[in-house]
Amino acid sequence: MICRTKKLYNGREYEIEKYWNHNTAFHEELVADAKTRGGRVLDIGCGDGLLLQRLAPIAQKVVGIDPDTETILRAQSRLAEVSNVSLVTGDFLAMPIPSQEERYSTVICVATLHHMELRSALLKMRQVLAPGGRLLIVGLSADKSIMDFVISGLLVFPIRVMDRLHGGMRDPGVRMADPIESLIEIRQVAHEVLPGAIIRRRFYYRYLLSWNKPKGITSNATLTDNDSVELPQE
C-alpha cells in the first residue's frame, strides 16, 4: 500500500510517497534514533531514497550510496526538492574514508550487509563513523541451526497477518540476494570488529545490530581489527 504524507523541511511542505514492506517497517525507529544525534547521516544501500527523505528533516547532511544506477535515478527524482541530501552511485567498500570532520554521526544499513563481505563491510562502517557516533544495521541472516528454523517457522503466520493489515508489501525494485551467514556467525564477526555491539532478532525475519563507537577511536583507512576498544557486553 502506498500513502502520501506532508513533511515540513526548511519552512516548506513537501510530499513523501511512502510504502510498506519488511524493511520500511523499521524506518521510524531508525529515524528516531538518528534524530538524537543529528549531524551527518550515511545510508548504505539507500535504494530509491525513501529513508533518506525521512532522515533529511532531522539531520544536517544525509548521504546515500547505492551501486545500482537506475535505483539512484529514482532516488534523485524522489529527493529533487531536498537540498541537504547527496547521492553516490558506487560500491560502499570502495568509498573513500572521509576526513575527521566529515565522518558520520549515524551510519545506517538496511537489508544491505548481506550483499557485501561481512568483515570488510563492518570494518569500513566503523571507519566512516565519527567517534561517539552510532551504527544501526537492519539485516537478514541465513537459517542454519534448528533454532533458526523453529523461530522462522513460528513467525510465518503473524508476519502474514501483519502483511495483510498493511495492505500487502510493495516490491521496492532493488537487487535481491539471499543471506549467507547465520545470526551466530554474524554475531561472532561483529563482536570481533565492533566490541560491545548489540544484536537482537527482530520481527519480519530481521535482526538489529547497534554499536556506539567510543569517543577515543579516531579510525583511518589503514585500521586493522586491533584498533578496537573493548566495551562491556550488554
Side-chain angles (χ1 to χ4, degrees), residues 59-88:
Q60 174 192 354
K61 179 72 176 179
V62 184
V63 177
I65 183 168
D66 198 287
D68 187 76
T69 303
E70 291 185 7
T71 302
I72 287 291
L73 288 174
R74 298 209 316 271
Q76 287 174 343
S77 177
R78 173 185 286 276
L79 298 163
E81 298 181 27
V82 186
S83 61
N84 67 331
V85 175
S86 295
L87 294 167
V88 179

PDB file of all heavy atoms in Angstrom, residues 59-88:
ATOM      1  N   ALA A  59      18.471  15.839  10.126  1.00  0.00           N
ATOM      2  CA  ALA A  59      19.928  15.770  10.030  1.00  0.00           C
ATOM      3  C   ALA A  59      20.484  17.005   9.345  1.00  0.00           C
ATOM      4  O   ALA A  59      19.803  17.675   8.566  1.00  0.00           O
ATOM      5  CB  ALA A  59      20.343  14.520   9.249  1.00  0.00           C
ATOM      6  N   GLN A  60      21.731  17.297   9.651  1.00  0.00           N
ATOM      7  CA  GLN A  60      22.418  18.404   8.977  1.00  0.00           C
ATOM      8  C   GLN A  60      22.705  18.044   7.523  1.00  0.00           C
ATOM      9  O   GLN A  60      22.514  18.849   6.610  1.00  0.00           O
ATOM     10  CB  GLN A  60      23.721  18.714   9.707  1.00  0.00           C
ATOM     11  CG  GLN A  60      24.597  19.748   9.015  1.00  0.00           C
ATOM     12  CD  GLN A  60      25.988  19.808   9.620  1.00  0.00           C
ATOM     13  OE1 GLN A  60      26.273  19.157  10.620  1.00  0.00           O
ATOM     14  NE2 GLN A  60      26.860  20.574   9.005  1.00  0.00           N
ATOM     15  N   LYS A  61      23.168  16.817   7.305  1.00  0.00           N
ATOM     16  CA  LYS A  61      23.513  16.336   5.978  1.00  0.00           C
ATOM     17  C   LYS A  61      23.235  14.847   5.914  1.00  0.00           C
ATOM     18  O   LYS A  61      23.548  14.112   6.857  1.00  0.00           O
ATOM     19  CB  LYS A  61      24.997  16.591   5.690  1.00  0.00           C
ATOM     20  CG  LYS A  61      25.495  16.105   4.340  1.00  0.00           C
ATOM     21  CD  LYS A  61      24.985  16.968   3.203  1.00  0.00           C
ATOM     22  CE  LYS A  61      25.553  16.546   1.864  1.00  0.00           C
ATOM     23  NZ  LYS A  61      25.042  17.382   0.762  1.00  0.00           N
ATOM     24  N   VAL A  62      22.639  14.399   4.798  1.00  0.00           N
ATOM     25  CA  VAL A  62      22.350  12.986   4.606  1.00  0.00           C
ATOM     26  C   VAL A  62      22.986  12.547   3.296  1.00  0.00           C
ATOM     27  O   VAL A  62      22.824  13.206   2.262  1.00  0.00           O
ATOM     28  CB  VAL A  62      20.832  12.718   4.572  1.00  0.00           C
ATOM     29  CG1 VAL A  62      20.562  11.223   4.472  1.00  0.00           C
ATOM     30  CG2 VAL A  62      20.151  13.287   5.807  1.00  0.00           C
ATOM     31  N   VAL A  63      23.721  11.437   3.345  1.00  0.00           N
ATOM     32  CA  VAL A  63      24.373  10.888   2.158  1.00  0.00           C
ATOM     33  C   VAL A  63      23.865   9.468   1.935  1.00  0.00           C
ATOM     34  O   VAL A  63      23.834   8.658   2.872  1.00  0.00           O
ATOM     35  CB  VAL A  63      25.906  10.879   2.309  1.00  0.00           C
ATOM     36  CG1 VAL A  63      26.561  10.240   1.083  1.00  0.00           C
ATOM     37  CG2 VAL A  63      26.429  12.294   2.525  1.00  0.00           C
ATOM     38  N   GLY A  64      23.480   9.166   0.703  1.00  0.00           N
ATOM     39  CA  GLY A  64      23.055   7.827   0.361  1.00  0.00           C
ATOM     40  C   GLY A  64      23.956   7.241  -0.705  1.00  0.00           C
ATOM     41  O   GLY A  64      24.322   7.939  -1.658  1.00  0.00           O
ATOM     42  N   ILE A  65      24.327   5.980  -0.545  1.00  0.00           N
ATOM     43  CA  ILE A  65      25.155   5.310  -1.541  1.00  0.00           C
ATOM     44  C   ILE A  65      24.495   4.005  -1.956  1.00  0.00           C
ATOM     45  O   ILE A  65      23.957   3.274  -1.118  1.00  0.00           O
ATOM     46  CB  ILE A  65      26.589   5.063  -1.014  1.00  0.00           C
ATOM     47  CG1 ILE A  65      27.458   4.423  -2.112  1.00  0.00           C
ATOM     48  CG2 ILE A  65      26.592   4.222   0.254  1.00  0.00           C
ATOM     49  CD1 ILE A  65      28.943   4.406  -1.786  1.00  0.00           C
ATOM     50  N   ASP A  66      24.515   3.735  -3.262  1.00  0.00           N
ATOM     51  CA  ASP A  66      23.928   2.510  -3.798  1.00  0.00           C
ATOM     52  C   ASP A  66      24.652   2.190  -5.106  1.00  0.00           C
ATOM     53  O   ASP A  66      24.946   3.104  -5.888  1.00  0.00           O
ATOM     54  CB  ASP A  66      22.429   2.692  -4.050  1.00  0.00           C
ATOM     55  CG  ASP A  66      21.691   1.366  -4.174  1.00  0.00           C
ATOM     56  OD1 ASP A  66      21.842   0.683  -5.212  1.00  0.00           O
ATOM     57  OD2 ASP A  66      20.976   1.001  -3.216  1.00  0.00           O
ATOM     58  N   PRO A  67      24.916   0.911  -5.380  1.00  0.00           N
ATOM     59  CA  PRO A  67      25.655   0.576  -6.598  1.00  0.00           C
ATOM     60  C   PRO A  67      24.819   0.571  -7.868  1.00  0.00           C
ATOM     61  O   PRO A  67      25.372   0.542  -8.968  1.00  0.00           O
ATOM     62  CB  PRO A  67      26.189  -0.837  -6.300  1.00  0.00           C
ATOM     63  CG  PRO A  67      25.188  -1.416  -5.361  1.00  0.00           C
ATOM     64  CD  PRO A  67      24.722  -0.269  -4.513  1.00  0.00           C
ATOM     65  N   ASP A  68      23.499   0.611  -7.716  1.00  0.00           N
ATOM     66  CA  ASP A  68      22.615   0.477  -8.871  1.00  0.00           C
ATOM     67  C   ASP A  68      22.246   1.847  -9.453  1.00  0.00           C
ATOM     68  O   ASP A  68      21.619   2.672  -8.777  1.00  0.00           O
ATOM     69  CB  ASP A  68      21.339  -0.279  -8.479  1.00  0.00           C
ATOM     70  CG  ASP A  68      20.473  -0.586  -9.676  1.00  0.00           C
ATOM     71  OD1 ASP A  68      20.803  -1.507 -10.434  1.00  0.00           O
ATOM     72  OD2 ASP A  68      19.462   0.118  -9.866  1.00  0.00           O
ATOM     73  N   THR A  69      22.612   2.082 -10.697  1.00  0.00           N
ATOM     74  CA  THR A  69      22.396   3.388 -11.332  1.00  0.00           C
ATOM     75  C   THR A  69      20.915   3.721 -11.458  1.00  0.00           C
ATOM     76  O   THR A  69      20.486   4.853 -11.186  1.00  0.00           O
ATOM     77  CB  THR A  69      23.045   3.409 -12.736  1.00  0.00           C
ATOM     78  OG1 THR A  69      24.433   3.109 -12.603  1.00  0.00           O
ATOM     79  CG2 THR A  69      22.891   4.777 -13.376  1.00  0.00           C
ATOM     80  N   GLU A  70      20.098   2.761 -11.876  1.00  0.00           N
ATOM     81  CA  GLU A  70      18.665   3.022 -12.050  1.00  0.00           C
ATOM     82  C   GLU A  70      18.005   3.367 -10.719  1.00  0.00           C
ATOM     83  O   GLU A  70      17.125   4.233 -10.655  1.00  0.00           O
ATOM     84  CB  GLU A  70      17.992   1.813 -12.684  1.00  0.00           C
ATOM     85  CG  GLU A  70      18.390   1.575 -14.138  1.00  0.00           C
ATOM     86  CD  GLU A  70      17.603   0.447 -14.777  1.00  0.00           C
ATOM     87  OE1 GLU A  70      16.654  -0.051 -14.125  1.00  0.00           O
ATOM     88  OE2 GLU A  70      17.925   0.066 -15.912  1.00  0.00           O
ATOM     89  N   THR A  71      18.429   2.689  -9.668  1.00  0.00           N
ATOM     90  CA  THR A  71      17.874   2.971  -8.345  1.00  0.00           C
ATOM     91  C   THR A  71      18.236   4.380  -7.891  1.00  0.00           C
ATOM     92  O   THR A  71      17.403   5.105  -7.328  1.00  0.00           O
ATOM     93  CB  THR A  71      18.396   1.941  -7.327  1.00  0.00           C
ATOM     94  OG1 THR A  71      18.050   0.628  -7.764  1.00  0.00           O
ATOM     95  CG2 THR A  71      17.802   2.181  -5.955  1.00  0.00           C
ATOM     96  N   ILE A  72      19.471   4.799  -8.131  1.00  0.00           N
ATOM     97  CA  ILE A  72      19.892   6.150  -7.769  1.00  0.00           C
ATOM     98  C   ILE A  72      19.108   7.189  -8.557  1.00  0.00           C
ATOM     99  O   ILE A  72      18.750   8.254  -8.026  1.00  0.00           O
ATOM    100  CB  ILE A  72      21.415   6.322  -7.996  1.00  0.00           C
ATOM    101  CG1 ILE A  72      22.205   5.564  -6.931  1.00  0.00           C
ATOM    102  CG2 ILE A  72      21.806   7.791  -7.995  1.00  0.00           C
ATOM    103  CD1 ILE A  72      22.120   6.144  -5.524  1.00  0.00           C
ATOM    104  N   LEU A  73      18.798   6.913  -9.812  1.00  0.00           N
ATOM    105  CA  LEU A  73      17.987   7.833 -10.603  1.00  0.00           C
ATOM    106  C   LEU A  73      16.599   7.996  -9.983  1.00  0.00           C
ATOM    107  O   LEU A  73      16.055   9.112  -9.943  1.00  0.00           O
ATOM    108  CB  LEU A  73      17.869   7.338 -12.049  1.00  0.00           C
ATOM    109  CG  LEU A  73      19.144   7.454 -12.901  1.00  0.00           C
ATOM    110  CD1 LEU A  73      18.940   6.796 -14.257  1.00  0.00           C
ATOM    111  CD2 LEU A  73      19.553   8.914 -13.071  1.00  0.00           C
ATOM    112  N   ARG A  74      16.028   6.916  -9.481  1.00  0.00           N
ATOM    113  CA  ARG A  74      14.729   7.011  -8.814  1.00  0.00           C
ATOM    114  C   ARG A  74      14.852   7.825  -7.532  1.00  0.00           C
ATOM    115  O   ARG A  74      13.966   8.620  -7.199  1.00  0.00           O
ATOM    116  CB  ARG A  74      14.173   5.616  -8.503  1.00  0.00           C
ATOM    117  CG  ARG A  74      13.925   4.771  -9.733  1.00  0.00           C
ATOM    118  CD  ARG A  74      12.806   3.759  -9.544  1.00  0.00           C
ATOM    119  NE  ARG A  74      12.827   3.052  -8.285  1.00  0.00           N
ATOM    120  CZ  ARG A  74      13.475   1.907  -8.069  1.00  0.00           C
ATOM    121  NH1 ARG A  74      14.175   1.352  -9.050  1.00  0.00           N
ATOM    122  NH2 ARG A  74      13.415   1.314  -6.907  1.00  0.00           N
ATOM    123  N   ALA A  75      15.952   7.641  -6.822  1.00  0.00           N
ATOM    124  CA  ALA A  75      16.174   8.419  -5.601  1.00  0.00           C
ATOM    125  C   ALA A  75      16.327   9.905  -5.919  1.00  0.00           C
ATOM    126  O   ALA A  75      15.818  10.763  -5.195  1.00  0.00           O
ATOM    127  CB  ALA A  75      17.412   7.895  -4.869  1.00  0.00           C
ATOM    128  N   GLN A  76      17.023  10.223  -7.005  1.00  0.00           N
ATOM    129  CA  GLN A  76      17.179  11.621  -7.403  1.00  0.00           C
ATOM    130  C   GLN A  76      15.831  12.269  -7.676  1.00  0.00           C
ATOM    131  O   GLN A  76      15.590  13.422  -7.308  1.00  0.00           O
ATOM    132  CB  GLN A  76      18.071  11.704  -8.635  1.00  0.00           C
ATOM    133  CG  GLN A  76      19.541  11.424  -8.357  1.00  0.00           C
ATOM    134  CD  GLN A  76      20.377  11.371  -9.616  1.00  0.00           C
ATOM    135  OE1 GLN A  76      19.851  11.236 -10.724  1.00  0.00           O
ATOM    136  NE2 GLN A  76      21.696  11.468  -9.473  1.00  0.00           N
ATOM    137  N   SER A  77      14.943  11.527  -8.308  1.00  0.00           N
ATOM    138  CA  SER A  77      13.604  12.047  -8.589  1.00  0.00           C
ATOM    139  C   SER A  77      12.833  12.281  -7.301  1.00  0.00           C
ATOM    140  O   SER A  77      12.179  13.315  -7.119  1.00  0.00           O
ATOM    141  CB  SER A  77      12.853  11.061  -9.486  1.00  0.00           C
ATOM    142  OG  SER A  77      11.529  11.501  -9.720  1.00  0.00           O
ATOM    143  N   ARG A  78      12.915  11.338  -6.381  1.00  0.00           N
ATOM    144  CA  ARG A  78      12.205  11.457  -5.110  1.00  0.00           C
ATOM    145  C   ARG A  78      12.726  12.635  -4.290  1.00  0.00           C
ATOM    146  O   ARG A  78      11.959  13.314  -3.604  1.00  0.00           O
ATOM    147  CB  ARG A  78      12.370  10.157  -4.310  1.00  0.00           C
ATOM    148  CG  ARG A  78      11.815  10.216  -2.903  1.00  0.00           C
ATOM    149  CD  ARG A  78      12.127   8.951  -2.128  1.00  0.00           C
ATOM    150  NE  ARG A  78      11.317   7.819  -2.549  1.00  0.00           N
ATOM    151  CZ  ARG A  78      10.091   7.577  -2.109  1.00  0.00           C
ATOM    152  NH1 ARG A  78       9.522   8.401  -1.242  1.00  0.00           N
ATOM    153  NH2 ARG A  78       9.429   6.525  -2.526  1.00  0.00           N
ATOM    154  N   LEU A  79      14.032  12.892  -4.368  1.00  0.00           N
ATOM    155  CA  LEU A  79      14.678  13.869  -3.482  1.00  0.00           C
ATOM    156  C   LEU A  79      14.962  15.207  -4.164  1.00  0.00           C
ATOM    157  O   LEU A  79      15.751  16.006  -3.666  1.00  0.00           O
ATOM    158  CB  LEU A  79      15.989  13.276  -2.950  1.00  0.00           C
ATOM    159  CG  LEU A  79      15.823  12.002  -2.112  1.00  0.00           C
ATOM    160  CD1 LEU A  79      17.140  11.260  -1.979  1.00  0.00           C
ATOM    161  CD2 LEU A  79      15.246  12.331  -0.745  1.00  0.00           C
ATOM    162  N   ALA A  80      14.307  15.442  -5.279  1.00  0.00           N
ATOM    163  CA  ALA A  80      14.591  16.643  -6.066  1.00  0.00           C
ATOM    164  C   ALA A  80      14.402  17.937  -5.274  1.00  0.00           C
ATOM    165  O   ALA A  80      15.089  18.929  -5.526  1.00  0.00           O
ATOM    166  CB  ALA A  80      13.704  16.654  -7.312  1.00  0.00           C
ATOM    167  N   GLU A  81      13.488  17.954  -4.300  1.00  0.00           N
ATOM    168  CA  GLU A  81      13.199  19.170  -3.545  1.00  0.00           C
ATOM    169  C   GLU A  81      13.989  19.257  -2.237  1.00  0.00           C
ATOM    170  O   GLU A  81      13.815  20.207  -1.478  1.00  0.00           O
ATOM    171  CB  GLU A  81      11.704  19.251  -3.236  1.00  0.00           C
ATOM    172  CG  GLU A  81      10.812  19.334  -4.468  1.00  0.00           C
ATOM    173  CD  GLU A  81       9.348  19.435  -4.085  1.00  0.00           C
ATOM    174  OE1 GLU A  81       9.054  19.945  -2.985  1.00  0.00           O
ATOM    175  OE2 GLU A  81       8.502  18.995  -4.878  1.00  0.00           O
ATOM    176  N   VAL A  82      14.837  18.281  -1.968  1.00  0.00           N
ATOM    177  CA  VAL A  82      15.547  18.239  -0.689  1.00  0.00           C
ATOM    178  C   VAL A  82      17.007  18.623  -0.916  1.00  0.00           C
ATOM    179  O   VAL A  82      17.721  17.959  -1.658  1.00  0.00           O
ATOM    180  CB  VAL A  82      15.452  16.831  -0.061  1.00  0.00           C
ATOM    181  CG1 VAL A  82      16.075  16.842   1.332  1.00  0.00           C
ATOM    182  CG2 VAL A  82      14.000  16.364   0.005  1.00  0.00           C
ATOM    183  N   SER A  83      17.454  19.679  -0.240  1.00  0.00           N
ATOM    184  CA  SER A  83      18.776  20.241  -0.547  1.00  0.00           C
ATOM    185  C   SER A  83      19.916  19.655   0.280  1.00  0.00           C
ATOM    186  O   SER A  83      21.085  19.815  -0.090  1.00  0.00           O
ATOM    187  CB  SER A  83      18.740  21.763  -0.335  1.00  0.00           C
ATOM    188  OG  SER A  83      18.430  22.079   1.017  1.00  0.00           O
ATOM    189  N   ASN A  84      19.627  18.993   1.382  1.00  0.00           N
ATOM    190  CA  ASN A  84      20.714  18.517   2.245  1.00  0.00           C
ATOM    191  C   ASN A  84      20.996  17.024   2.064  1.00  0.00           C
ATOM    192  O   ASN A  84      21.520  16.368   2.962  1.00  0.00           O
ATOM    193  CB  ASN A  84      20.421  18.814   3.719  1.00  0.00           C
ATOM    194  CG  ASN A  84      19.232  18.024   4.257  1.00  0.00           C
ATOM    195  OD1 ASN A  84      18.313  17.681   3.511  1.00  0.00           O
ATOM    196  ND2 ASN A  84      19.246  17.754   5.553  1.00  0.00           N
ATOM    197  N   VAL A  85      20.634  16.486   0.896  1.00  0.00           N
ATOM    198  CA  VAL A  85      20.888  15.080   0.592  1.00  0.00           C
ATOM    199  C   VAL A  85      21.828  14.970  -0.603  1.00  0.00           C
ATOM    200  O   VAL A  85      21.651  15.657  -1.608  1.00  0.00           O
ATOM    201  CB  VAL A  85      19.580  14.323   0.283  1.00  0.00           C
ATOM    202  CG1 VAL A  85      19.878  12.891  -0.149  1.00  0.00           C
ATOM    203  CG2 VAL A  85      18.669  14.307   1.510  1.00  0.00           C
ATOM    204  N   SER A  86      22.854  14.122  -0.474  1.00  0.00           N
ATOM    205  CA  SER A  86      23.748  13.814  -1.585  1.00  0.00           C
ATOM    206  C   SER A  86      23.650  12.329  -1.902  1.00  0.00           C
ATOM    207  O   SER A  86      23.555  11.498  -0.990  1.00  0.00           O
ATOM    208  CB  SER A  86      25.203  14.157  -1.233  1.00  0.00           C
ATOM    209  OG  SER A  86      25.354  15.547  -1.036  1.00  0.00           O
ATOM    210  N   LEU A  87      23.688  12.001  -3.190  1.00  0.00           N
ATOM    211  CA  LEU A  87      23.589  10.619  -3.628  1.00  0.00           C
ATOM    212  C   LEU A  87      24.873  10.203  -4.324  1.00  0.00           C
ATOM    213  O   LEU A  87      25.428  10.966  -5.114  1.00  0.00           O
ATOM    214  CB  LEU A  87      22.398  10.444  -4.575  1.00  0.00           C
ATOM    215  CG  LEU A  87      21.014  10.661  -3.943  1.00  0.00           C
ATOM    216  CD1 LEU A  87      19.942  10.780  -5.019  1.00  0.00           C
ATOM    217  CD2 LEU A  87      20.683   9.517  -2.988  1.00  0.00           C
ATOM    218  N   VAL A  88      25.326   8.997  -4.029  1.00  0.00           N
ATOM    219  CA  VAL A  88      26.555   8.464  -4.618  1.00  0.00           C
ATOM    220  C   VAL A  88      26.234   7.126  -5.269  1.00  0.00           C
ATOM    221  O   VAL A  88      25.656   6.242  -4.633  1.00  0.00           O
ATOM    222  CB  VAL A  88      27.643   8.256  -3.551  1.00  0.00           C
ATOM    223  CG1 VAL A  88      28.906   7.677  -4.185  1.00  0.00           C
ATOM    224  CG2 VAL A  88      27.939   9.564  -2.819  1.00  0.00           C
TER     225      VAL A  88
END
